[in-house]
Structure formats: structure tokens, C-alpha cells
């Protein structure tokens, strides 16, 4: 499928017929009469996720505590099983991945181990447009080291709508010990040029932490090439793990020898865990950074979804995501600009994530009018509607209908 788009109603039907991922649509639950374009916030439920979750529920009902011993102790080692499925999405070894906790709690887990400030190298480099919870975690960790965030947290201020990578690189002074940045910005969909940023940070011996929540499952990531130290992500957005599904943590294997800063019984060795030793017997892989017993139900739905990703392939998912979002931007340019709309994200393939920023001065009211017409998007201040046609379950026809409904709302002034 090329990028020579057309405006007519038959064109998106042809694209859907040619879509190599079209067979996956039927495995997701979509409400009749609704167009769901909000998978960047919460992915849809799949038949596969439901099946995996129901299987676990039935096993619990039948087996009780014996559930832990079934299927070759599958659920005792559940994180490792899920890590096998996630590893191809981020190009690291499965034993460098643990599925546990939340995105924010995993920042705490990683920083408690890797943030070791000294008198000369103690600052944490962040920016001022990342998701706020990351900053809360950073400030908390700094305070735990008896440092003042006003001094120890170095903030790169965005100048304009998009972050300039040079501003980040030029802020990497000798006193920076650790940086925490997103790969994709949650509001603008901007993809940072991480290779250049990470190369500079590695030169300066800065611990590199990345939040890949808005990248994993929609961008073909290679964390091994970037040579970072840790990464965190939620699994309920593009990965479709379900509301509040367990998050992910990547720990570079070069740190396996370190004692976790936050230790718990599930981070101890599998073979000695039930001996309940009073001294922590560190499991020297990413599972050693687990703290408590796995949240099986919020992991089971994720397993079902990840199996779909393995079938579809992340390269194919990224290819369609870029194409269908480009089609959306084409329709905005050709049909909606005259009504005051514009595209608020970068347009280059390598610089945009999985959602399109549809900008209008009345975006809040328009988003409510869309909701009344069965279109699910979300609104972000001051005037952005984030719209995410998801490669696995959204169609080109749905994108076309979304734009046509927007046109009708503007013509009828129902907003």
C-alpha cells in the first residue's frame, strides 16, 4: 500500500481489503455503532485475552492453592513466560525483562538500585513535557537521598511544541548521574532521536532510563542497540493488556550483580524462595527485581494479547500504523483545514508515534460532540484531540467515517 491517498469513499474500502493485518480485527471486541480511536490510552479487549483470563479463573476455581503447581509451575514463573513474548518487541533478552507492578513503581524499583549520587555527580536529567508521574517518582527518589529536587533535578525546558534533542544533549553536564526520558511524548506523539541521545549519555557515563509506554507495541524498538540501563512501560495501551494490567521493567544484564534497592520475597531465587531465609537470596536476572507475589489476573489478559503481537509481528504493526495515521493526516489536510483543524504532530515517519494530534481551538467541545456520535477519542489541554487508529483492530473505513462525522459536526455546528 503506497501513500498516494484519495479522498473518495471507495478508497478506504480498498485499503481494508489489502490490509495484511485484516484477519486480526475479528479477535477484538468492538461495540456496534462505535468507532474506538483511543487505544493509545486503553487498548481494546481481545478474545485471546479473555480466553487466557477465563482459563486462569477456571483453574483457580478448580484447583485452589494447587494452581501454583499446575502446568509445570507456569504461574510461579509467569513473568518469565510473558518476558519471552515481550522480548521481540524491544529486542532484548527475556531474562532482562520482568512483568510486575506499575510503570511508576518500576521507576522507583530501578532508581533505588541504579541512582547512586555522589558529591560531584548527583543530578537527574528530566524534561518538562513528559508524563507527570515520572517526575513525581524522580523527585521522590531524590528526596530519599536527602537531596533537594530544586537542585538535584535538572529540567530541560521545551521551547515550543516539540522537544529539541540538542537541548537534552547540551544539558548532559558532568554532574548528571541519571536521565529519565520518554521515547514517545504522550501528548504530541513526538518520537525522540534516542540513538543520538543515548550515545552522548553513554559517553558521559550517565545511567539511562527510558519510559517506553507510548512506544511499545506500536514502534519497532531496539533497546539493546541503545545500550540503556533500564526501561519502564505500562501494558494497557498499545499492548491491550487490560485496565491496570501489570507493567514492565527492563534491567540491562550488566546490572544483574547489583543488590535490588527494593527487595521482596519474589526477587529471591526460585529454588530457595520457599525456604523463607531471613537473608535475601538474590535471583540474578530481571526477576530479582520483583517484590511481591505476581498479580496473575492482570497478567493473564496480557498473555493473550501478546500472543497476537507475536503472530502479527511488530514490523507489520508499525508499517500499518504509519500508513493509517498518514491517511488520517491526509484527510485532515484535504477536508478539515477549512474548518480550522490542523495536524499538531510531526509528520516524518521516524518522528511520530501511534496517534495523531488533531488540533482545533474548540477541541474540547468538538470531542464531546464526537462522543455523542459514537466516536471515542480523548482530549488534552489546551486544544488537542488525540486520535489513534490502531493497526490490529481499526480500519481505514473507520478513519474515513471519523473525518466525515467531524465534517458534519462542523457544518451543523452541533459542537
Amino acid at each position: 500500500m503506497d501513500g498516494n491517498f484519495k479522498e473518495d469513499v471507495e478508497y478506504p474500502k480498498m485499503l481494508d481489503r489489502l490490509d495484511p493485518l485484516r484477519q486480526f480485527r475479528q479477535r477484538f471486541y468492538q461495540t456496534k455503532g462505535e468507532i474506538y480511536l483511543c487505544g493509545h490510552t486503553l487498548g481494546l479487549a481481545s478474545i485471546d485475552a479473555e480466553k487466557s483470563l477465563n482459563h486462569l479463573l477456571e483453574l483457580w476455581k478448580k484447583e485452589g492453592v494447587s494452581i501454583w503447581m499446575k502446568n509445570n509451575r507456569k504461574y510461579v514463573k509467569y513473568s518469565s513466560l510473558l518476558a519471552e513474548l515481550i522480548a521481540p518487541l524491544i529486542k532484548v533478552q527475556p531474562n532482562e525483562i520482568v512483568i510486575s507492578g506499575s510503570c511508576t513503581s518500576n521507576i522507583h524499583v530501578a532508581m533505588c538500585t541504579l541512582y547512586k549520587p555522589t558529591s560531584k555527580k548527583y543530578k537527574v536529567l528530566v524534561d518538562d513535557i513528559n508524563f507527570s508521574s515520572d517526575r513525581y517518582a524522580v523527585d521522590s527518589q531524590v528526596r530519599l537521598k536527602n537531596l533537594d529536587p530544586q537542585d538535584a533535578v535538572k529540567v530541560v525546558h521545551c521551547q515550543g511544541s516539540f522537544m529539541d534533542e540538542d537541548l537534552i544533549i547540551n544539558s548532559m553536564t558532568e554532574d548528571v548521574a541519571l536521565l529519565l526520558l520518554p521515547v514517545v511524548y504522550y501528548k504530541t506523539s513526538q518520537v525522540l532521536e534516542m540513538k543520538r541521545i543515548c550515545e552522548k549519555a553513554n559517553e558521559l557515563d550517565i545511567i539511562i532510563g527510558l519510559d517506553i509506554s507510548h512506544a511499545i507495541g506500536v514502534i519497532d524498538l531496539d533497546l539493546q542497540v541503545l545500550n540503556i540501563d533500564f526501561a519502564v512501560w505500562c501494558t494497557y495501551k498499545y499492548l491491550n493488556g487490560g485496565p491496570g494490567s501489570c507493567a514492565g521493567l527492563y534491567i540491562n544484564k550488566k546490572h544483574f550483580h547489583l543488590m535490588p534497592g527494593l527487595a521482596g520475597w519474589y526477587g529471591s531465587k526460585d529454588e530457595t524462595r520457599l525456604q523463607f531465609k531471613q537473608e535475601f537470596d538474590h535471583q540474578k536476572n530481571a526477576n530479582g527485581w520483583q517484590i511481591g507475589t505476581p498479580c496473575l489476573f492482570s497478567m493473564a489478559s496480557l498473555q493473550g494479547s501478546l500472543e497476537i503481537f507475536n503472530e502479527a509481528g511488530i514490523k507489520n504493526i508499525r508499517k500499518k500504523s504509519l500508513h493509517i495515521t498518514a491517511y488520517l493526516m491526509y484527510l485532515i489536510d484535504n477536508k478539515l483545514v477549512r474548518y480550522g483543524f490542523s495536524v499538531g504532530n510531526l509528520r516524518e515517519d521516524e518522528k511520530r508515534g501511534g496517534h495523531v494530534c488533531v488540533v482545533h481551538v474548540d477541541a474540547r467541545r468538538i470531542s464531546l460532540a464526537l462522543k455523542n456520535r459514537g466516536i471515542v477519542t480523548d482530549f488534552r489541554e489546551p486544544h488537542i484531540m488525540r486520535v489513534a487508529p490502531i493497526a490490529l483492530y481499526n480500519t481505514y473505513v473507520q478513519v474515513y467515517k471519523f473525518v466525515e462525522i467531524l465534517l458534519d459536526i462542523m457544518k451543523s455546528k452541533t459542537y
Side-chain angles (χ1 to χ4, degrees):
M1 294 186 290
D2 61 31
N4 297 315
F5 301 119
K6 299 178 182 178
E7 293 183 40
D8 64 273
V9 68
E10 295 302 318
Y11 180 70
K13 297 177 184 177
M14 180 198 73
L15 291 179
D16 284 333
R17 288 194 298 271
L18 296 175
D19 179 8
L21 298 179
R22 62 189 178 277
Q23 72 271 24
F24 293 102
R25 300 172 201 154
Q26 305 306 316
R27 287 161 69 172
F28 289 86
Y29 289 99
Q30 299 197 54
T31 302
K32 187 176 181 180
E34 178 182 276
I35 298 177
Y36 192 85
L37 297 168
C38 210
H40 58 295
T41 296
L42 179 65
L44 287 179
S46 66
I47 293 171
D48 302 66
E50 179 185 47
K51 181 179 178 181
S52 180
L53 186 57
N54 283 340
H55 173 75
L56 177 62
L57 183 60
E58 290 301 315
L59 199 61
W60 178 36
K61 286 159 62 175
K62 179 181 178 182
E63 301 292 345
V65 72
S66 297
I67 189 173
W68 296 106
M69 308 311 294
K70 294 297 176 181
N71 301 325
N72 193 28
R73 301 171 74 242
K74 168 185 175 179
Y75 295 111
V76 171
K77 303 174 286 187
Y78 210 11
S79 174
S80 296
L81 185 150
L82 298 183
E84 294 278 353
L85 297 172
I86 286 181
L89 303 181
I90 57 177
K91 312 297 185 298
V92 300
Q93 296 300 312
N95 70 346
E96 295 177 295
I97 298 170
V98 60
I99 304 303
S100 179
S102 69
C103 187
T104 306
S105 69
N106 284 341
I107 294 173
H108 285 289
V109 168
M111 285 191 67
C112 271
T113 304
L114 300 176
Y115 176 48
K116 303 294 184 184
T118 66
S119 59
K120 293 183 178 180
K121 198 174 183 69
Y122 64 96
K123 293 190 176 183
V124 180
L125 187 66
V126 299
D127 66 85
D128 64 349
I129 56 171
N130 190 10
F131 192 69
S132 58
S133 191
D134 290 13
R135 177 66 185 278
Y136 304 158
V138 166
D139 285 3
S140 296
Q141 286 297 316
V142 164
R143 292 190 190 99
L144 286 172
K145 303 295 185 182
N146 293 318
L147 297 172
D148 183 355
Q150 292 293 323
D151 173 47
V153 179
K154 188 172 186 178
V155 182
V156 181
H157 296 284
C158 183
Q159 299 176 7
S161 299
F162 305 106
M163 179 58 70
D164 183 347
E165 288 88 351
D166 287 334
L167 290 176
I168 295 172
I169 290 171
N170 292 336
S171 298
M172 294 182 194
T173 47
E174 291 183 356
D175 54 0
V176 174
L178 181 147
L179 67 77
L180 179 63
L181 295 169
V183 171
V184 178
Y185 283 102
Y186 78 98
K187 183 181 285 189
T188 63
S189 197
Q190 178 188 1
V191 179
L192 283 175
E193 192 179 345
M194 293 312 310
K195 187 173 186 295
R196 192 157 66 93
I197 291 171
C198 291
E199 283 176 352
K200 186 62 176 178
N202 277 309
E203 282 179 22
L204 299 172
D205 198 26
I206 295 172
I207 295 291
I208 304 170
L210 299 181
D211 185 338
I212 61 173
S213 294
H214 283 269
I216 190 169
V218 72
I219 290 180
D220 189 11
L221 296 165
D222 193 330
L223 300 187
Q224 193 166 23
V225 165
L226 294 178
N227 191 27
I228 67 171
D229 296 279
F230 73 93
V232 297
W233 62 92
C234 59
T235 62
Y236 50 77
K237 299 181 187 294
Y238 294 103
L239 293 182
N240 312 309
S245 53
C246 274
L249 172 64
Y250 160 75
I251 297 286
N252 191 310
K253 59 180 176 292
K254 66 186 178 184
H255 298 305
F256 285 175
H257 67 285
L258 297 176
M259 183 67 71
L262 291 175
W265 87 300
Y266 230 81
S268 58
K269 292 178 181 176
D270 184 38
E271 58 269 25
T272 61
R273 185 179 300 127
L274 293 179
Q275 295 176 14
F276 305 112
K277 294 181 177 181
Q278 291 300 301
E279 291 187 5
F280 183 59
D281 192 9
H282 182 209
Q283 189 174 177
K284 293 187 178 178
N285 54 46
N287 285 310
W289 275 263
Q290 289 183 98
I291 298 175
T293 305
C295 302
L296 297 186
F297 287 111
S298 64
M299 298 167 80
S301 53
L302 178 60
Q303 179 190 344
S305 180
L306 290 174
E307 287 168 351
I308 296 176
F309 276 86
N310 271 20
E311 286 184 53
I314 189 60
K315 291 186 184 299
N316 297 325
I317 289 170
R318 178 59 170 163
K319 185 176 180 180
K320 180 185 172 182
S321 175
L322 287 172
H323 193 261
I324 197 170
T325 50
Y327 176 57
L328 172 56
M329 292 188 290
Y330 167 84
L331 292 177
I332 292 169
D333 290 340
N334 287 273
K335 294 192 173 193
L336 295 175
V337 167
R338 72 198 71 169
Y339 294 97
F341 289 94
S342 63
V343 173
N345 53 269
L346 297 170
R347 292 174 181 259
E348 299 93 329
D349 285 358
E350 68 276 11
K351 293 184 179 181
R352 59 187 174 90
H355 73 268
V356 173
C357 298
V358 183
V359 177
H360 194 282
V361 67
D362 285 315
R364 180 187 291 275
R365 291 192 291 172
I366 293 168
S367 66
L368 294 174
L370 283 169
K371 185 177 181 180
N372 291 335
R373 296 286 292 272
I375 308 292
V376 182
T377 62
D378 69 7
F379 169 79
R380 289 292 179 268
E381 296 286 357
H383 43 236
I384 295 174
M385 290 181 291
R386 299 189 305 171
V387 182
I390 301 300
L392 287 172
Y393 53 77
N394 283 125
T395 67
Y396 291 87
V397 167
Q398 287 178 324
V399 170
Y400 181 86
K401 286 181 177 178
F402 162 70
V403 172
E404 289 299 301
I405 290 171
L406 257 185
L407 271 174
D408 185 64
I409 287 171
M410 299 312 293
K411 290 176 180 178
S412 63
K413 298 184 178 179
T414 51
Y415 64 95

